[in-house]
Amino acid sequence: MSLNPVGGPANLSPVKLNPPTFPFFVVRSCEPALFFPFLQNNTMSVHTTLLDFSVDPSAVKNESQVSVVCSNIENVLREYLTNLKTLATIPFETDLLKLYSSDGGVSATLRVFQTGLITLNIEYLKAESQEAQLSFERTKVLEQKLRIVLNCFRSKLLPPIKRGTHIDVYILSSDDRLLEYDIDELVFEERTPYQKIQIVHSKSLGNMLVLDDLQNISEADLIYTETLMGRGLEDYKDKEIVILGGGDGALLYELLKEKPKEVIMLEIDEVVMKACAKHMRSICGDVLDSLSGPNYEIIVGDCIKAVEQYIKEGRKFDYVFGDLTDVPLSESPTGELWEFINKILSMSFKILKPDGKFMTHVIGSAAGDALKMYETQLMKLQPPVKFTTSHAFIPSFLEDWVFYQVFFDTKQ
């Protein structure tokens, strides 16, 4: 197996592909159902099943051994994939790649690496109402049979990954791990000048707010709000508070239960508030029904402009909540998002009373480097500050989340 100088496969003859046999015709609409009638009443998605096996590298050290391994795998696959055909065999420097097709529009890719790793991916298009070409239970049996014929010392089968669904069930964790949710309904969706807003329903979490494809809060996440505000640890009675962001209304709703003197919420996207007021009332109550109440006010607009005005007026608050963006994953604390975070930090302390606190969420505890970068930025603030942290496992995040309480260092 060898590679050509630019990294592509070497010594390969051109592969001739037969043209598709779909009838071609002209229509005046781009509705998918006009091209493919079977799409009309079905939600289609691509199902990709991933398997991998590890064998002794000595079992795949030459082309003859690799050929035997591939033949053994193909013999088992024929029991599950009808009319299996080899489309291409492509040698690389470190592995051999084989492409297959079978009845029902199923494709498969097999890669045998010199390290002893073998990967098998099986993919097909499936309607929501259609039975799987290869059920997960049958795939488990397939994995067991392949384990035996390969004499492997480990194997792994992943449930089918569903791509192109009308409801996206995959969301990333704070450190970019793939999380799959039990989402069964898209409740609300709208794109505003600021962000993509979705409210989806989860069987276990209830309705969940998703902004720009990142989970924000669900109906099961009271612990998030309570940890952010330090319920039971902080005294909000008769205090003056400002919330930067907080469009879901959960923090405002919970703070008002503590009988503060005044809470001002600064939220730029009114669509978020209206959507949550309608679809997530269990976390926000009725506080988003009106822009003001006996001891609160919601200002729709850029929070930075509002804070700049407070600085000019010399207005001070007991608490400032940063309920905005998470700290990003990056190699260094630079770039537009870090500049925004640093600006929020600097401005927030200009409107805090001497004994006030800045309360915020940051990122998951697994993102250690990002947390260190954030603390580095805190240490650059003038006047100097100190901080404490708290943690909570957030149901909809599926991970432990870190919150910061930052205050002036009165000893310096």
Side-chain angles (χ1 to χ4, degrees):
M1 303 179 192
S2 62
L3 287 178
N4 65 25
V6 295
N11 303 319
L12 292 180
S13 57
V15 178
K16 183 179 180 181
L17 299 177
N18 294 324
T21 56
F22 295 122
F24 288 89
F25 48 90
V26 177
V27 296
R28 294 184 180 274
S29 171
C30 60
E31 289 293 327
L34 292 179
F35 288 102
F36 305 105
F38 61 84
L39 288 178
Q40 194 157 9
N41 297 313
N42 282 315
T43 300
M44 310 294 291
S45 62
V46 171
H47 283 220
T48 305
T49 298
L50 306 174
L51 303 97
D52 60 84
F53 308 87
S54 294
V55 301
D56 191 317
S58 64
V60 289
K61 64 182 180 182
N62 59 51
E63 291 185 14
S64 176
Q65 289 175 312
V66 170
S67 177
V68 171
V69 166
C70 291
S71 294
N72 289 338
I73 292 174
E74 290 163 6
N75 288 335
V76 175
L77 282 178
R78 288 189 179 93
E79 300 176 29
Y80 296 85
L81 304 180
T82 307
N83 197 21
L84 185 72
K85 296 178 181 178
T86 301
L87 299 180
T89 300
I90 306 172
F92 290 98
E93 183 177 352
T94 58
D95 66 284
L96 181 76
L97 168 65
K98 298 197 73 171
L99 307 178
Y100 305 93
S101 68
S102 75
D103 291 352
V106 179
S107 67
T109 60
L110 171 67
R111 297 190 76 166
V112 182
F113 294 86
Q114 294 174 354
T115 60
L117 176 63
I118 300 171
T119 63
L120 175 63
N121 306 339
I122 301 171
E123 188 169 277
Y124 58 90
L125 186 68
K126 177 186 174 301
E128 197 172 272
S129 59
Q130 177 186 4
E131 285 190 17
Q133 296 269 11
L134 188 60
S135 71
F136 191 52
E137 291 303 316
R138 290 192 70 211
T139 311
K140 289 179 182 178
V141 179
L142 169 63
E143 178 198 13
Q144 293 169 2
K145 289 187 177 182
L146 288 174
R147 279 183 67 102
I148 294 171
V149 300
L150 291 172
N151 191 28
C152 64
F153 58 83
R154 66 159 294 279
S155 67
K156 183 67 177 179
L157 164 64
L158 297 180
I161 293 176
K162 307 169 190 69
R163 294 183 291 166
T165 57
H166 72 290
I167 300 175
D168 191 358
V169 298
Y170 302 104
I171 303 177
L172 296 181
S173 68
S174 64
D175 56 340
D176 289 345
R177 289 175 289 112
L178 185 64
L179 306 175
E180 181 174 0
Y181 289 77
D182 57 351
I183 295 169
D184 59 1
E185 182 183 358
L186 178 61
V187 177
F188 174 88
E189 182 173 34
E190 185 171 332
R191 187 177 292 276
T192 72
Y194 310 106
Q195 58 202 333
K196 173 185 173 184
I197 304 166
Q198 293 176 309
I199 294 179
V200 297
H201 180 265
S202 157
K203 296 175 184 177
S204 57
L205 300 167
N207 283 351
M208 180 166 65
L209 175 65
V210 180
L211 300 178
D212 287 335
D213 298 320
L214 293 174
Q215 67 276 37
N216 272 244
I217 194 169
S218 79
E219 292 183 295
D221 291 343
L222 178 60
I223 186 65
Y224 172 90
T225 306
E226 292 190 324
T227 309
L228 173 60
M229 62 186 284
R231 173 161 278 162
L233 301 174
E234 302 291 336
D235 180 12
Y236 295 105
K237 185 175 172 57
D238 298 325
K239 297 297 194 300
E240 295 176 286
I241 303 167
V242 65
I243 301 171
L244 310 180
D248 53 70
L251 179 58
L252 174 61
Y253 181 56
E254 297 300 327
L255 282 171
L256 290 176
K257 296 177 182 179
E258 306 292 319
K259 296 180 171 49
K261 179 180 178 180
E262 182 183 24
V263 182
I264 300 174
M265 189 176 94
L266 308 174
E267 168 61 43
I268 197 169
D269 202 333
E270 192 171 13
V271 176
V272 172
M273 295 190 295
K274 289 181 176 179
C276 290
K278 182 176 181 179
H279 301 292
M280 300 192 69
R281 293 186 78 81
S282 67
I283 70 166
C284 64
D286 61 358
V287 297
L288 299 178
D289 294 349
S290 173
L291 294 179
S292 63
N295 59 343
Y296 76 91
E297 180 184 9
I298 299 172
I299 299 175
V300 180
D302 187 345
C303 68
I304 287 181
K305 292 181 180 179
V307 173
E308 286 175 343
Q309 184 60 36
Y310 294 149
I311 293 172
K312 290 179 182 178
E313 296 171 356
R315 185 163 186 187
K316 303 289 183 179
F317 295 87
D318 296 289
Y319 290 93
V320 175
F321 282 89
D323 197 10
L324 298 161
T325 182
D326 302 334
V327 167
L329 293 177
S330 58
E331 294 182 358
S332 63
T334 57
E336 186 177 348
L337 198 49
W338 275 107
E339 290 175 4
F340 175 76
I341 290 169
N342 284 325
K343 187 170 187 177
I344 289 295
L345 280 171
S346 175
M347 295 178 69
S348 294
F349 279 90
K350 291 178 181 178
I351 60 171
L352 267 180
K353 295 178 181 179
D355 58 349
K357 285 187 179 181
F358 177 76
M359 315 280 280
T360 191
H361 61 89
V362 179
I363 200 170
S365 60
D369 289 343
L371 291 168
K372 290 177 183 177
M373 289 182 197
Y374 184 72
E375 292 179 5
T376 299
Q377 305 314 300
L378 293 180
M379 293 300 94
K380 293 178 181 178
L381 289 172
Q382 292 296 328
V385 301
K386 298 176 73 174
F387 63 86
T388 57
T389 62
S390 54
H391 295 243
F393 184 86
I394 312 303
S396 76
F397 295 2
L398 300 179
E399 61 179 314
D400 183 67
W401 208 253
V402 185
F403 302 81
Y404 279 68
Q405 305 83 42
V406 192
F407 45 92
F408 291 109
D409 186 352
T410 56
K411 294 183 179 179
Q412 293 195 40

